[in-house]
């Protein structure tokens, strides 16, 4: 994938994550502070834990850092897949947000 193609795909994924989180906040399903600075999204939870999602151009991956650990996702046929577990980005992020917020959250692209 070219650098430009990666940047576009990653930006689309980050936009979808931000929109999905904001939708959960607006629906009163989730109580979290969300901040986006460029290619980094930071979710801050009531217990002072954080989830950080960012695109990493050199590796052409989207990285997620959560209490449960670090996860790296590569684009594969329009989906972002964790290289170790095979999990899809939005499913994995839904699990991590649910764990850290204490409420069931389903995020989608």
């Amino acid at each position: 994938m070219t650098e430009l193609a990666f940047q576009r795909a990653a930006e689309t994924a980050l936009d979808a994550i931000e929109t999905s989180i904001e939708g959960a906040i607006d629906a009163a399903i989730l109580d979290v502070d969300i901040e986006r600075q460029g290619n980094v999204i930071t979710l801050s939870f009531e217990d002072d834990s954080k989830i950080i999602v960012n695109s990493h151009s050199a590796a052409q991956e989207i990285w997620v850092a959560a209490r449960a650990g670090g996860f790296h996702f590569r684009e594969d046929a329009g989906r972002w897949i964790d290289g170790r577990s095979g999990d899809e980005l939005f499913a994995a992020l839904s699990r991590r947000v649910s764990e850290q917020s204490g409420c069931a959250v389903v995020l989608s692209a």
Side-chain angles (χ1 to χ4, degrees):
M1 174 182 301
T2 68
E3 178 73 19
L4 183 57
F6 168 77
Q7 288 175 352
R8 286 182 181 151
E11 183 74 18
T12 298
L14 292 175
D15 288 347
I17 291 167
E18 185 177 26
T19 299
S20 192
I21 293 286
E22 288 173 344
I25 292 168
D26 291 345
I29 295 169
L30 182 62
D31 185 14
V32 65
D33 290 327
I34 182 171
E35 180 182 343
R36 182 164 180 187
Q37 293 182 343
N39 68 330
V40 179
I41 297 173
T42 303
L43 305 176
S44 301
F45 297 87
E46 288 185 349
D47 65 357
D48 292 327
S49 68
K50 295 186 184 309
I51 292 177
I52 299 171
V53 182
N54 70 290
S55 61
H56 190 277
S57 293
Q60 291 197 343
E61 295 176 334
I62 291 179
W63 290 0
V64 175
R67 192 177 354 192
F71 307 90
H72 299 181
F73 297 84
R74 288 191 151 263
E75 196 275 334
D76 181 18
R79 297 178 44 206
W80 293 90
I81 305 298
D82 184 336
R84 286 184 286 172
S85 69
D87 288 343
E88 189 275 330
L89 173 62
F90 286 88
L93 195 53
S94 294
R95 266 194 313 282
R96 302 301 166 230
V97 170
S98 295
E99 289 169 0
Q100 286 185 228
S101 69
C103 59
V105 177
V106 178
L107 306 173
S108 60

